Amino acid sequence: MSTLSTRPRGTAFSETMLGTLRLDGEAKGPARKVRLELDVTAARVLRPGRTTEARAVGRIRIDGLADGTAVEGELEISPLARRRIRYRLHFTARGRRLTLDGWKSVTLRRPVASMTVLPYTLYEDGSPVGTGVLRFPLATQGPAFLASWRFPRSENAETLMAPRWRGEAGRTEVWYTTLTDPRTGTGVWLHHELVAPTDGSEPYAHGWAAVFPEDGPVRHVRFGPAPWTGEGSGFRAAGTDARPGRLTGSAQDGAWAWELAEQPVDAPLFTFPRWSWRRPLLPASHVLPAARARYEGTFTYDGTTLALTGAPGASARIHGHGNARRWAWLHADLGGGAVLEVVAAVSMRPGLRRLPPLVFLRLRRGGRTWPRRPERSAVGWAGWGRFRARIGLPTWTVTGRSGLRRIRVEVAQPPERTLALDYRDPDGSAAVCRNSERADARVLLERWWFGGWRTEARWTLDGTAHAEVGGR
């Protein structure tokens, strides 16, 4: 039986509550209005008779104090065992680190009221600074709340690193890692690939390692091809190993060697629709087992050793039939827990190869991912409103709008910081990727507000973005 069918299911839902807050010392005048929007996830299916711990992320608006500020925390859902649903949420407003702590006291005498009213206390550095009440507006938010419930299978870095290939001809599978050494500014790229040729011949494994120093030329080394054994929970071939939490390998008689520990610091991020990873109906699928990770260890190349401590980056997975006709990719750690992942591609399939690039853009900030569904940026609504990409070198761009937000991404890959590598698809056709682990990126996020666009966030990355442009 496959691991896909045996993974336990979790629970996910969204809720919006409205209410008021009165800070200490504000006895006179109206209370401050509050709006709290949460996305809640639990690792198991909720059952009323037991206590379930859940994670909550979202946004809070408080008149004069917080305007859509990111909030995160925990829920204790125990309607029967402890007769309460407790919320403990943390956020920063105007430089103040605040905690909203309260619970719904569940009672059978007033089931609806007790499940929809949340009295709470607001704390700053452990001291109470205000009190308030939040209410779930059943009439206006009830339908959306019920429609938001999902019971997805649990996903984590370990399950997503496992090989997806099941012996089919004409498939390729990739494990790759990109990171930046914060001490030297050097970019590192590790690429591990399994190829199952279309003609049914034996599958093989190969890959490469590359470094992008701040003060020197780009260097790389290849490893493989080598037989594919399909053992273990990740990639193991040609003297290299890519597994959950660990990356090791050597090449060129030991002149290149690496031993890295990987610590995920964020949840998985599905760049393409989640279903496409489980059911390979699209030409390819792409996922990050952790949207952000930190790396510790050593990376040696040609007599130089990088001692990595807290190096930001991420590992990603690709599974499909081969490379696109044209593509562009970006991974940008924006700081403050925000990360941007972009894949723009033109398919090789007949009928699709004449279309403009399909864009899959995922921006995670404050624990939330925008657009909410990856299909939104690729196809829009019935073909209208999809995101657009202009793929080229040394600069390429992506623009788009979803809901009340729009984004512009501009990526620069200077020639002296870009490495060109050629390789082959399962059908034997050649492809070339031009990769830079020291790319520049400019990201502008705007929000529609009272009849005009206002800047919501702006990020500038100089030499710390990871990007690639490829083609035939």
Side-chain angles (χ1 to χ4, degrees), residues 190-206:
L190 290 170
H191 180 103
H192 313 80
E193 183 168 349
L194 158 68
V195 179
T198 305
D199 61 11
S201 56
E202 290 298 314
Y204 63 91
H206 73 114

Side-chain angles (χ1 to χ4, degrees), residues 164 171 272-285 319-321 347 349 352:
R164 294 284 292 113
R171 298 295 176 90
F272 286 36
R274 186 185 295 258
W275 56 261
S276 70
W277 184 252
R278 301 195 187 104
R279 302 175 182 86
L281 302 177
L282 298 180
S285 188
H319 179 251
H321 299 268
S347 174
R349 289 186 177 178
L352 297 178

Side-chain angles (χ1 to χ4, degrees), residues 232-374:
S233 58
F235 178 99
R236 175 180 285 179
T240 65
D241 216 338
R243 296 176 180 275
R246 201 81 182 160
L247 297 161
T248 60
S250 64
Q252 210 174 68
D253 296 326
W256 289 63
W258 54 93
E259 186 168 347
L260 304 175
E262 179 182 65
Q263 178 61 49
V265 293
D266 206 340
L269 181 63
F270 288 84
T271 319
F272 286 36
R274 186 185 295 258
W275 56 261
S276 70
W277 184 252
R278 301 195 187 104
R279 302 175 182 86
L281 302 177
L282 298 180
S285 188
H286 182 276
V287 62
L288 282 72
R292 294 178 298 120
R294 294 293 179 264
Y295 296 86
E296 312 274 342
T298 58
F299 190 99
T300 300
Y301 64 99
D302 296 337
T304 299
T305 297
L306 298 174
L308 301 172
T309 302
S315 290
R317 300 277 281 106
I318 301 172
H319 179 251
H321 299 268
N323 292 282
R325 187 178 184 88
R326 290 189 299 130
W327 72 89
W329 161 80
L330 171 70
H331 175 80
D333 191 321
L334 304 174
V339 63
L340 175 66
E341 194 79 14
V342 179
V343 174
V346 177
S347 174
M348 287 289 291
R349 289 186 177 178
L352 297 178
R353 65 182 63 180
R354 297 183 181 276
L355 296 176
L358 296 181
V359 177
F360 293 92
L361 181 147
R362 313 294 282 150
L363 172 63
R364 180 174 288 173
R365 56 195 291 260
R368 285 190 165 186
T369 304
W370 175 88
R372 182 178 292 271
R373 297 190 61 85

Side-chain angles (χ1 to χ4, degrees), residues 424-460:
R424 294 193 176 275
D425 282 343
D427 64 1
S429 61
V432 177
C433 67
R434 293 171 174 84
N435 180 287
S436 176
E437 302 305 319
R438 293 196 61 248
D440 304 327
R442 306 288 182 268
V443 182
L444 174 63
L445 181 67
E446 296 177 300
R447 184 181 177 89
W448 182 261
W449 191 262
F450 291 114
W453 291 102
R454 293 172 54 183
T455 298
E456 183 173 357
R458 188 191 302 268
W459 296 276
T460 300

Side-chain angles (χ1 to χ4, degrees), residues 136-281:
F136 177 75
L138 195 59
T140 57
Q141 295 294 328
F145 172 72
L146 294 175
S148 71
W149 280 74
R150 298 288 186 272
F151 300 95
R153 296 192 184 278
S154 298
E155 305 281 6
N156 55 48
E158 185 171 353
T159 60
L160 292 173
M161 284 291 287
R164 294 284 292 113
W165 185 63
R166 298 294 182 266
E168 313 95 320
R171 298 295 176 90
T172 185
E173 189 164 355
V174 177
W175 294 252
Y176 72 83
T177 299
T178 61
L179 60 94
T180 299
D181 178 13
R183 185 175 59 87
T184 65
T186 301
V188 176
W189 179 24
L190 290 170
H191 180 103
H192 313 80
E193 183 168 349
L194 158 68
V195 179
T198 305
D199 61 11
S201 56
E202 290 298 314
Y204 63 91
H206 73 114
W208 52 81
V211 291
F212 299 73
E214 192 173 35
D215 56 358
V218 179
R219 304 178 190 180
H220 78 283
V221 66
R222 293 181 182 264
F223 50 84
W228 173 256
T229 61
E231 299 177 356
S233 58
F235 178 99
R236 175 180 285 179
T240 65
D241 216 338
R243 296 176 180 275
R246 201 81 182 160
L247 297 161
T248 60
S250 64
Q252 210 174 68
D253 296 326
W256 289 63
W258 54 93
E259 186 168 347
L260 304 175
E262 179 182 65
Q263 178 61 49
V265 293
D266 206 340
L269 181 63
F270 288 84
T271 319
F272 286 36
R274 186 185 295 258
W275 56 261
S276 70
W277 184 252
R278 301 195 187 104
R279 302 175 182 86
L281 302 177

